[in-house]
Amino acid sequence: MTTITNLPAVLRAGLLNAAARDALDWVPFRPGVEAHWLHRAPDGGAAAALLRYAPGSDVPRHAHTGRETILILAGRQSDDTGTYDAGTLVVNEPGTEHKVRSDIGCTALLIWEQAPRLFEGT
């Protein structure tokens, strides 16, 4: 069980607090995309992360073997089915696939039931 005393600082400060997000330790995720991991199962299972996209960056086409829930915190993100501004909640069901991009940059909270499977050569 997670309690308020062991929540990451960004969650205690509030996900919408840009200064708290900027102060986090960010690591490379994909070219132009950085991650701050909130939770990551060692077996490729459940995970939660903040992803920060530079303007013009993308994540290659991938398939979801478990549900993916995305909350756009700042900026704008697009995929094969639409464009999502800050405040939008997107749920990608198991069996779906898409390529994600951000023309102006964005920060999003992502929660995966299972790690997505990237397609080769993307």
Side-chain angles (χ1 to χ4, degrees), residues 62-68 70 92-98 100 112 114-117:
H62 55 277
H64 296 284
T65 56
R67 183 172 292 108
E68 173 188 61
I70 304 169
N92 293 303
E93 296 295 336
T96 61
E97 62 180 66
H98 61 160
V100 179
W112 298 275
Q114 252 341 92
R117 180 178 53 86

Side-chain angles (χ1 to χ4, degrees), residues 68-79:
E68 173 188 61
T69 303
I70 304 169
L71 176 60
I72 308 301
L73 301 173
R76 182 172 55 228
Q77 184 183 91
S78 300
D79 69 9

Side-chain angles (χ1 to χ4, degrees), residues 27-35 51-52 57-60 118-119 122:
V27 297
F29 181 71
R30 303 289 303 174
V33 182
E34 298 173 304
L51 293 186
R52 183 166 63 180
S57 62
D58 62 40
V59 172
L118 288 176
F119 292 114
T122 61

Side-chain angles (χ1 to χ4, degrees), residues 14-65:
L15 286 173
L16 299 179
N17 183 321
R21 290 192 315 262
D22 288 343
L24 296 172
D25 292 325
W26 294 92
V27 297
F29 181 71
R30 303 289 303 174
V33 182
E34 298 173 304
H36 176 78
W37 294 98
L38 301 168
H39 169 74
R40 196 175 195 182
D43 61 357
L50 295 173
L51 293 186
R52 183 166 63 180
Y53 291 72
S57 62
D58 62 40
V59 172
R61 180 162 292 285
H62 55 277
H64 296 284
T65 56

